[in-house]
Amino acid sequence: LVRKQWTKEELIAFEDHIGDLYMDNQLPFLFHLSGGNEDQLIEIFKDIKEGDYVISNHRNHYHALLHGIPPDVVEDRIKNGRSMFIYDRKRNFFVSAIIGGTPAIAAGIAWALKRKGSTQKVWCFVGDGTEDNGHLSEAVRYVEGFDLPCKFIIESNDRSCEASNEDRWGKTAHPEYNSDYVIKYHYEPTYPHCRKPGMIDLSKTDKKTDNEYFPPLKEPNIMTYLAKDWVAPQTSYKDAMIESMTHLGKLGAIFIGYNVKYGNAIGTLKNVPDDQKLETPVAENLMAGLAIGMSFEGFLPVLYYERHDFMMVAADAIINHIDKIERISHGEFKCPIIIRAVTADAGPFYSGITHSQDFTEVFRRAVSFPVLDPVNGAGVTSCLLAARRSGKPCMIIERKSRY
């Protein structure tokens, strides 16, 4: 896995070659060429070690090459519709074309590396579009607050698609960061936002389907992961949840959310050591990103949302990332995350219509992983046992009325 030391001329020649493939009607895909920032990246990658994580985005070709992915592999991915989906688990190279999702994932990986006492670091490359949204600010603040081994590199080309920063932000177009955890540089891009100038003859191309480019995962019946000799306990819904969380805690699970340490998640985490409860900011997408990153490093995250209503803020992380990562990475990255999704369908106090909605069927339509709704103690125990053994994401619906 020794990395090739690329020169500026070689990087430019590679992207010129990809552009030629497009003009030769070989790339009927959305792709984004790198260019104009060769000097900056060559300098930055001098500090990136081969075991470090590199988190990239839709414009990832230079990052992939500089982190050691062979050029023939990068070209093969591009020619097979995966320009925005280049992954390498052995080299810890991860991308997402949903740009707001990566900063929180980077923070989660960094949290896991620090927990392990690792010397590895995380380098998260983002552009002006990611800088536009609040997810980057949350992640930078979190990483800085807990001194996590992560750097965010903002590659500013003064463009989001074709709009300039001033078009989008007016006089606050070019923010600067007083942080040791952020590197920001500016460059003039060689190519437009996507593809290159000129239209190809699509009738001469071979365009396949989603299922051909990204074969669906085989999703076994999650209940097959129950032990054959397992006997359903005769216990209450809440007691079964407490026992299940205690069991997961003994296995080293990390419980993520707000009110997990001081409220013990409706009392269900009372037997879990405090150092396994990660009390988070009120930032639901960050919470999910932390869970994803931790799962990459072998942790079992249990992600706790105390109301379905609040989960809408985390929809990107749940639907575009937790649900899709294993498929779009062709199995290289996995997210064995258990999501506890509480709906406030009962309680001593009225909480209003934006604090008591039930999105169970919405989640079932939006994701491919199991969304389970146990009705009693036996169901709680069996669902959580199966979720843990499956090694896949799973959502457990919890109803306050059953407590």
Side-chain angles (χ1 to χ4, degrees), residues 3-4 6 10-11 14-15 45 60-72 74-75 93:
R3 296 188 306 196
K4 169 182 167 55
W6 287 79
E10 289 172 327
L11 290 171
F14 180 87
E15 289 294 69
F45 269 84
N60 58 57
H61 300 170
Y62 279 177
H63 304 147
L65 295 170
L66 287 165
H67 203 46
I69 301 180
D72 59 326
V74 176
E75 180 176 337
F93 187 82

mmCIF file of all heavy atoms in Angstrom, residues 3-4 6 10-11 14-15 45 60-72 74-75 93:
data_model
loop_
_atom_site.group_PDB
_atom_site.id
_atom_site.type_symbol
_atom_site.label_atom_id
_atom_site.label_comp_id
_atom_site.label_asym_id
_atom_site.label_seq_id
_atom_site.Cartn_x
_atom_site.Cartn_y
_atom_site.Cartn_z
ATOM 1 N N ARG A 3 2.321 4.556 -1.114
ATOM 2 C CA ARG A 3 1.724 5.556 -2.010
ATOM 3 C C ARG A 3 2.719 6.049 -3.050
ATOM 4 O O ARG A 3 3.892 6.274 -2.763
ATOM 5 C CB ARG A 3 1.236 6.762 -1.203
ATOM 6 C CG ARG A 3 0.129 6.449 -0.228
ATOM 7 C CD ARG A 3 -0.445 7.704 0.383
ATOM 8 N NE ARG A 3 0.570 8.554 1.001
ATOM 9 C CZ ARG A 3 0.273 9.532 1.850
ATOM 10 N NH1 ARG A 3 -0.981 9.782 2.166
ATOM 11 N NH2 ARG A 3 1.231 10.273 2.379
ATOM 12 N N LYS A 4 2.211 6.231 -4.251
ATOM 13 C CA LYS A 4 2.991 6.867 -5.307
ATOM 14 C C LYS A 4 3.100 8.363 -5.001
ATOM 15 O O LYS A 4 2.152 8.989 -4.524
ATOM 16 C CB LYS A 4 2.305 6.662 -6.661
ATOM 17 C CG LYS A 4 2.891 7.495 -7.807
ATOM 18 C CD LYS A 4 2.123 7.276 -9.098
ATOM 19 C CE LYS A 4 2.475 8.317 -10.154
ATOM 20 N NZ LYS A 4 3.915 8.409 -10.463
ATOM 21 N N TRP A 6 2.986 11.681 -6.499
ATOM 22 C CA TRP A 6 2.527 12.272 -7.742
ATOM 23 C C TRP A 6 3.123 13.663 -7.943
ATOM 24 O O TRP A 6 3.278 14.435 -6.994
ATOM 25 C CB TRP A 6 1.001 12.382 -7.737
ATOM 26 C CG TRP A 6 0.319 11.065 -7.912
ATOM 27 C CD1 TRP A 6 0.120 10.099 -6.960
ATOM 28 C CD2 TRP A 6 -0.239 10.555 -9.122
ATOM 29 N NE1 TRP A 6 -0.534 9.024 -7.506
ATOM 30 C CE2 TRP A 6 -0.779 9.275 -8.831
ATOM 31 C CE3 TRP A 6 -0.353 11.060 -10.413
ATOM 32 C CZ2 TRP A 6 -1.411 8.498 -9.791
ATOM 33 C CZ3 TRP A 6 -1.000 10.280 -11.375
ATOM 34 C CH2 TRP A 6 -1.507 9.018 -11.065
ATOM 35 N N GLU A 10 1.684 15.010 -13.568
ATOM 36 C CA GLU A 10 1.025 13.703 -13.645
ATOM 37 C C GLU A 10 -0.445 13.796 -13.239
ATOM 38 O O GLU A 10 -1.310 13.149 -13.858
ATOM 39 C CB GLU A 10 1.759 12.701 -12.752
ATOM 40 C CG GLU A 10 3.120 12.288 -13.290
ATOM 41 C CD GLU A 10 3.894 11.444 -12.289
ATOM 42 O OE1 GLU A 10 3.742 11.669 -11.061
ATOM 43 O OE2 GLU A 10 4.652 10.564 -12.722
ATOM 44 N N LEU A 11 -0.749 14.577 -12.218
ATOM 45 C CA LEU A 11 -2.140 14.744 -11.806
ATOM 46 C C LEU A 11 -2.947 15.399 -12.922
ATOM 47 O O LEU A 11 -4.057 14.947 -13.258
ATOM 48 C CB LEU A 11 -2.207 15.599 -10.542
ATOM 49 C CG LEU A 11 -1.688 14.964 -9.251
ATOM 50 C CD1 LEU A 11 -1.622 15.999 -8.134
ATOM 51 C CD2 LEU A 11 -2.563 13.784 -8.823
ATOM 52 N N PHE A 14 -3.640 12.973 -15.721
ATOM 53 C CA PHE A 14 -4.683 11.983 -15.401
ATOM 54 C C PHE A 14 -6.061 12.570 -15.652
ATOM 55 O O PHE A 14 -6.907 11.940 -16.312
ATOM 56 C CB PHE A 14 -4.568 11.526 -13.947
ATOM 57 C CG PHE A 14 -5.604 10.500 -13.563
ATOM 58 C CD1 PHE A 14 -5.369 9.148 -13.765
ATOM 59 C CD2 PHE A 14 -6.828 10.892 -13.027
ATOM 60 C CE1 PHE A 14 -6.337 8.198 -13.440
ATOM 61 C CE2 PHE A 14 -7.801 9.956 -12.702
ATOM 62 C CZ PHE A 14 -7.546 8.603 -12.904
ATOM 63 N N GLU A 15 -6.315 13.775 -15.164
ATOM 64 C CA GLU A 15 -7.639 14.365 -15.363
ATOM 65 C C GLU A 15 -7.882 14.724 -16.826
ATOM 66 O O GLU A 15 -9.012 14.615 -17.309
ATOM 67 C CB GLU A 15 -7.808 15.603 -14.472
ATOM 68 C CG GLU A 15 -7.943 15.283 -12.998
ATOM 69 C CD GLU A 15 -9.214 14.514 -12.647
ATOM 70 O OE1 GLU A 15 -9.308 13.331 -13.051
ATOM 71 O OE2 GLU A 15 -10.087 15.057 -11.965
ATOM 72 N N PHE A 45 -0.694 16.683 1.405
ATOM 73 C CA PHE A 45 -0.548 15.230 1.542
ATOM 74 C C PHE A 45 0.827 14.826 2.067
ATOM 75 O O PHE A 45 1.016 13.665 2.445
ATOM 76 C CB PHE A 45 -0.878 14.525 0.225
ATOM 77 C CG PHE A 45 -2.323 14.134 0.120
ATOM 78 C CD1 PHE A 45 -3.279 15.042 -0.316
ATOM 79 C CD2 PHE A 45 -2.738 12.871 0.498
ATOM 80 C CE1 PHE A 45 -4.611 14.695 -0.385
ATOM 81 C CE2 PHE A 45 -4.074 12.502 0.432
ATOM 82 C CZ PHE A 45 -5.020 13.423 -0.008
ATOM 83 N N ASN A 60 -13.173 13.950 -6.066
ATOM 84 C CA ASN A 60 -12.241 13.184 -5.229
ATOM 85 C C ASN A 60 -11.045 12.584 -5.956
ATOM 86 O O ASN A 60 -10.220 11.922 -5.322
ATOM 87 C CB ASN A 60 -13.008 12.051 -4.542
ATOM 88 C CG ASN A 60 -13.694 11.124 -5.534
ATOM 89 O OD1 ASN A 60 -13.061 10.545 -6.406
ATOM 90 N ND2 ASN A 60 -15.006 10.970 -5.405
ATOM 91 N N HIS A 61 -10.912 12.764 -7.262
ATOM 92 C CA HIS A 61 -9.888 12.037 -8.022
ATOM 93 C C HIS A 61 -8.482 12.313 -7.490
ATOM 94 O O HIS A 61 -7.695 11.386 -7.280
ATOM 95 C CB HIS A 61 -9.956 12.396 -9.511
ATOM 96 C CG HIS A 61 -11.281 12.080 -10.143
ATOM 97 N ND1 HIS A 61 -11.619 12.500 -11.414
ATOM 98 C CD2 HIS A 61 -12.351 11.385 -9.682
ATOM 99 C CE1 HIS A 61 -12.825 12.078 -11.708
ATOM 100 N NE2 HIS A 61 -13.300 11.416 -10.666
ATOM 101 N N TYR A 62 -8.146 13.584 -7.289
ATOM 102 C CA TYR A 62 -6.805 13.904 -6.788
ATOM 103 C C TYR A 62 -6.585 13.323 -5.390
ATOM 104 O O TYR A 62 -5.509 12.804 -5.081
ATOM 105 C CB TYR A 62 -6.602 15.424 -6.737
ATOM 106 C CG TYR A 62 -6.238 16.072 -8.057
ATOM 107 C CD1 TYR A 62 -6.086 17.464 -8.129
ATOM 108 C CD2 TYR A 62 -6.027 15.341 -9.229
ATOM 109 C CE1 TYR A 62 -5.743 18.099 -9.326
ATOM 110 C CE2 TYR A 62 -5.689 15.960 -10.421
ATOM 111 C CZ TYR A 62 -5.551 17.335 -10.464
ATOM 112 O OH TYR A 62 -5.208 17.960 -11.651
ATOM 113 N N HIS A 63 -7.594 13.424 -4.544
ATOM 114 C CA HIS A 63 -7.463 12.882 -3.180
ATOM 115 C C HIS A 63 -7.199 11.378 -3.230
ATOM 116 O O HIS A 63 -6.358 10.861 -2.483
ATOM 117 C CB HIS A 63 -8.734 13.148 -2.377
ATOM 118 C CG HIS A 63 -9.122 14.588 -2.305
ATOM 119 N ND1 HIS A 63 -10.437 15.003 -2.253
ATOM 120 C CD2 HIS A 63 -8.377 15.727 -2.299
ATOM 121 C CE1 HIS A 63 -10.492 16.331 -2.191
ATOM 122 N NE2 HIS A 63 -9.248 16.786 -2.226
ATOM 123 N N ALA A 64 -7.933 10.685 -4.090
ATOM 124 C CA ALA A 64 -7.773 9.235 -4.196
ATOM 125 C C ALA A 64 -6.367 8.866 -4.666
ATOM 126 O O ALA A 64 -5.712 7.978 -4.110
ATOM 127 C CB ALA A 64 -8.821 8.663 -5.146
ATOM 128 N N LEU A 65 -5.902 9.549 -5.697
ATOM 129 C CA LEU A 65 -4.575 9.251 -6.237
ATOM 130 C C LEU A 65 -3.485 9.562 -5.212
ATOM 131 O O LEU A 65 -2.568 8.757 -4.991
ATOM 132 C CB LEU A 65 -4.338 10.065 -7.513
ATOM 133 C CG LEU A 65 -5.251 9.736 -8.706
ATOM 134 C CD1 LEU A 65 -5.076 10.771 -9.803
ATOM 135 C CD2 LEU A 65 -4.985 8.336 -9.244
ATOM 136 N N LEU A 66 -3.580 10.711 -4.573
ATOM 137 C CA LEU A 66 -2.546 11.124 -3.628
ATOM 138 C C LEU A 66 -2.534 10.244 -2.375
ATOM 139 O O LEU A 66 -1.502 10.130 -1.704
ATOM 140 C CB LEU A 66 -2.738 12.588 -3.243
ATOM 141 C CG LEU A 66 -2.371 13.595 -4.344
ATOM 142 C CD1 LEU A 66 -2.939 14.973 -4.027
ATOM 143 C CD2 LEU A 66 -0.847 13.671 -4.515
ATOM 144 N N HIS A 67 -3.667 9.623 -2.064
ATOM 145 C CA HIS A 67 -3.711 8.734 -0.887
ATOM 146 C C HIS A 67 -3.374 7.293 -1.253
ATOM 147 O O HIS A 67 -3.494 6.409 -0.406
ATOM 148 C CB HIS A 67 -5.068 8.804 -0.195
ATOM 149 C CG HIS A 67 -5.017 8.382 1.244
ATOM 150 N ND1 HIS A 67 -4.046 8.814 2.117
ATOM 151 C CD2 HIS A 67 -5.813 7.546 1.964
ATOM 152 C CE1 HIS A 67 -4.250 8.277 3.314
ATOM 153 N NE2 HIS A 67 -5.311 7.501 3.245
ATOM 154 N N GLY A 68 -2.978 7.066 -2.491
ATOM 155 C CA GLY A 68 -2.409 5.777 -2.836
ATOM 156 C C GLY A 68 -3.280 4.828 -3.618
ATOM 157 O O GLY A 68 -2.858 3.701 -3.925
ATOM 158 N N ILE A 69 -4.501 5.220 -3.982
ATOM 159 C CA ILE A 69 -5.326 4.332 -4.804
ATOM 160 C C ILE A 69 -4.738 4.317 -6.215
ATOM 161 O O ILE A 69 -4.535 5.374 -6.817
ATOM 162 C CB ILE A 69 -6.791 4.787 -4.820
ATOM 163 C CG1 ILE A 69 -7.348 4.806 -3.393
ATOM 164 C CG2 ILE A 69 -7.635 3.863 -5.704
ATOM 165 C CD1 ILE A 69 -8.794 5.239 -3.301
ATOM 166 N N PRO A 70 -4.432 3.154 -6.763
ATOM 167 C CA PRO A 70 -3.783 3.087 -8.077
ATOM 168 C C PRO A 70 -4.604 3.780 -9.155
ATOM 169 O O PRO A 70 -5.837 3.699 -9.148
ATOM 170 C CB PRO A 70 -3.669 1.579 -8.339
ATOM 171 C CG PRO A 70 -3.691 0.950 -6.980
ATOM 172 C CD PRO A 70 -4.607 1.808 -6.163
ATOM 173 N N PRO A 71 -3.949 4.441 -10.093
ATOM 174 C CA PRO A 71 -4.681 5.182 -11.130
ATOM 175 C C PRO A 71 -5.579 4.293 -11.982
ATOM 176 O O PRO A 71 -6.636 4.737 -12.429
ATOM 177 C CB PRO A 71 -3.573 5.835 -11.963
ATOM 178 C CG PRO A 71 -2.320 5.093 -11.617
ATOM 179 C CD PRO A 71 -2.488 4.627 -10.218
ATOM 180 N N ASP A 72 -5.167 3.033 -12.206
ATOM 181 C CA ASP A 72 -6.028 2.163 -13.003
ATOM 182 C C ASP A 72 -7.319 1.828 -12.249
ATOM 183 O O ASP A 72 -8.380 1.661 -12.860
ATOM 184 C CB ASP A 72 -5.283 0.879 -13.405
ATOM 185 C CG ASP A 72 -4.783 0.082 -12.210
ATOM 186 O OD1 ASP A 72 -4.408 0.704 -11.191
ATOM 187 O OD2 ASP A 72 -4.756 -1.157 -12.281
ATOM 188 N N VAL A 74 -8.777 3.924 -9.978
ATOM 189 C CA VAL A 74 -9.563 5.150 -10.040
ATOM 190 C C VAL A 74 -10.243 5.268 -11.403
ATOM 191 O O VAL A 74 -11.440 5.565 -11.493
ATOM 192 C CB VAL A 74 -8.679 6.384 -9.753
ATOM 193 C CG1 VAL A 74 -9.493 7.671 -9.911
ATOM 194 C CG2 VAL A 74 -8.083 6.310 -8.349
ATOM 195 N N GLU A 75 -9.496 5.010 -12.466
ATOM 196 C CA GLU A 75 -10.082 5.085 -13.802
ATOM 197 C C GLU A 75 -11.192 4.062 -13.985
ATOM 198 O O GLU A 75 -12.243 4.367 -14.570
ATOM 199 C CB GLU A 75 -9.001 4.879 -14.869
ATOM 200 C CG GLU A 75 -9.549 4.956 -16.276
ATOM 201 C CD GLU A 75 -8.474 4.857 -17.348
ATOM 202 O OE1 GLU A 75 -7.287 5.156 -17.045
ATOM 203 O OE2 GLU A 75 -8.804 4.475 -18.496
ATOM 204 N N PHE A 93 -10.002 5.261 2.795
ATOM 205 C CA PHE A 93 -10.444 6.337 1.910
ATOM 206 C C PHE A 93 -11.959 6.239 1.757
ATOM 207 O O PHE A 93 -12.488 5.232 1.285
ATOM 208 C CB PHE A 93 -9.770 6.236 0.548
ATOM 209 C CG PHE A 93 -10.046 7.407 -0.359
ATOM 210 C CD1 PHE A 93 -9.310 8.579 -0.240
ATOM 211 C CD2 PHE A 93 -11.041 7.346 -1.316
ATOM 212 C CE1 PHE A 93 -9.564 9.672 -1.065
ATOM 213 C CE2 PHE A 93 -11.304 8.424 -2.146
ATOM 214 C CZ PHE A 93 -10.564 9.591 -2.024
#
